[in-house]
Amino acid sequence: HVFAKIGYFYRPAGIPADQRPVNGGWTYGGLVFKDGVTGQIFDDKSYSHQTQWSGSARVSKNGEIKLFFTDVAFYRNPDGSNRKPYDPRIALSVGKVHVGAKGVTFTGFNKVTSLLQADGTYYQTGAQNEFFNFRDPFTFEDPAHPGETYMVFEGNSGMPRETATCNAGDLGYQPGDPHAETVDQVNASGATYQIGNIGLAKAKNKDLTEWEFLPPILSANCVTDQTERPQFVIKDGKYYLFTISHRSTFAAGLDGPEGVYGFVG
């Protein structure tokens, strides 16, 4: 959690599956970033831990790789408590992939650009909740908007933890449901601590170094606190959205499987 690093594997192409070794033929290539590179973007470098979390990559035909990831600084005391809220950033680093007789290597990835920090309006901040979620960028192009690039990511709804509330739309009960709870019952149950969402952002330039927030495309208020690693697959005019949630992050009185969840729209 606090020591994660981004590494890479590679394997030769064009080898049938039945001819590959048991491990699939993958070779570990090492880490993407040299020590200290991803810590450069933080003004407060008194962090106790500095780590790299999930993201996604865009590979160009010329071998350039735009690596979007979650750059994180923790500020913890020796007992594990927070000295101040941790600082997660959606970030970008650019490198290039090289293939030779000895395998696959990268150059670049020596600079990191901070793209987005939670805004407190759509997406909860550390000041609103020291346990907030903000991570896992996945970029995509929407056929309905040619030439534009979007990003989904995991967030929490932008409201203070102590005063968060849910409404009838968050509950989602159908009329006449015999098991339906009232809004007051749900708000009193502690379910307001679970306010995960899937955020959306739009690139403002072709280099994908400037972004603006859009409203979340999916909210899980009073349902679950984590909607991790969202990804889109767009096929035949339908948009398939996949995300991960955990049994332990569901609200009081709810249960759901540990695994991947799918939505279509």
Side-chain angles (χ1 to χ4, degrees), residues 8 37 45 50 71 76 87 100 107 124 161 166 182 184 203 211 221 233 242:
Y8 72 100
V37 170
K45 293 184 173 54
Q50 200 282 297
D71 204 349
R76 290 188 167 176
D87 186 356
T107 55
Q124 194 176 56
R161 179 177 172 87
C166 300
T182 67
D184 289 342
W211 294 77
N221 294 346
V233 175
F242 298 94

Side-chain angles (χ1 to χ4, degrees), residues 143-201:
H145 298 86
E148 297 181 353
T149 301
Y150 295 85
M151 174 195 296
V152 285
F153 55 89
E154 179 190 8
N156 284 154
S157 297
M159 58 183 88
R161 179 177 172 87
E162 295 77 12
T163 59
T165 58
C166 300
N167 59 44
D170 295 325
L171 275 54
Y173 290 114
Q174 296 296 312
D177 186 336
H179 302 290
E181 302 164 285
T182 67
V183 172
D184 289 342
Q185 286 174 323
V186 172
N187 283 329
S189 72
T192 53
Y193 292 126
Q194 281 72 42
I195 50 174
N197 68 22
I198 293 177
L200 185 66

Side-chain angles (χ1 to χ4, degrees), residues 7-224:
Y8 72 100
F9 290 82
Y10 63 89
R11 72 178 184 182
I15 299 176
D18 60 359
Q19 296 179 24
R20 292 189 181 278
V22 174
N23 72 349
W26 292 100
T27 298
Y28 178 59
L31 298 177
V32 173
F33 296 105
K34 294 181 179 178
D35 284 347
V37 170
T38 58
Q40 296 171 1
I41 67 172
F42 300 102
D43 293 332
D44 183 353
K45 293 184 173 54
S46 69
Y47 41 75
S48 57
H49 307 80
Q50 200 282 297
T51 189
Q52 305 152 15
W53 283 351
S54 176
S56 60
R58 298 173 70 91
V59 185
S60 301
K61 291 182 179 179
N62 65 359
E64 181 187 77
I65 297 177
K66 291 183 183 295
L67 178 59
F68 297 87
F69 70 105
T70 317
D71 204 349
V72 188
F74 283 94
Y75 300 89
R76 290 188 167 176
N77 297 308
D79 64 0
S81 62
N82 288 333
R83 186 167 75 248
K84 72 175 190 177
Y86 81 120
D87 186 356
R89 314 274 187 94
I90 290 176
L92 168 66
S93 188
V94 180
K96 203 160 188 177
V97 62
H98 304 273
V99 181
K102 295 184 178 181
V104 175
T105 58
F106 293 126
T107 55
F109 298 122
N110 51 16
K111 177 185 176 183
V112 175
T113 301
S114 180
L115 303 180
L116 292 168
Q117 295 175 259
D119 62 346
T121 301
Y122 292 133
Y123 307 107
Q124 194 176 56
T125 66
Q128 294 173 322
N129 172 17
E130 65 175 315
F131 308 107
F132 75 116
N133 300 303
F134 186 73
R135 55 181 176 259
D136 304 342
F138 174 84
T139 64
F140 66 99
E141 295 178 6
D142 180 358
H145 298 86
E148 297 181 353
T149 301
Y150 295 85
M151 174 195 296
V152 285
F153 55 89
E154 179 190 8
N156 284 154
S157 297
M159 58 183 88
R161 179 177 172 87
E162 295 77 12
T163 59
T165 58
C166 300
N167 59 44
D170 295 325
L171 275 54
Y173 290 114
Q174 296 296 312
D177 186 336
H179 302 290
E181 302 164 285
T182 67
V183 172
D184 289 342
Q185 286 174 323
V186 172
N187 283 329
S189 72
T192 53
Y193 292 126
Q194 281 72 42
I195 50 174
N197 68 22
I198 293 177
L200 185 66
K202 178 181 175 181
K204 298 169 65 176
N205 64 357
K206 296 298 183 182
D207 290 337
L208 308 184
T209 57
E210 298 178 13
W211 294 77
E212 61 182 348
F213 284 125
L214 298 174
I217 58 172
L218 183 148
S219 295
N221 294 346
C222 289
V223 177
T224 184

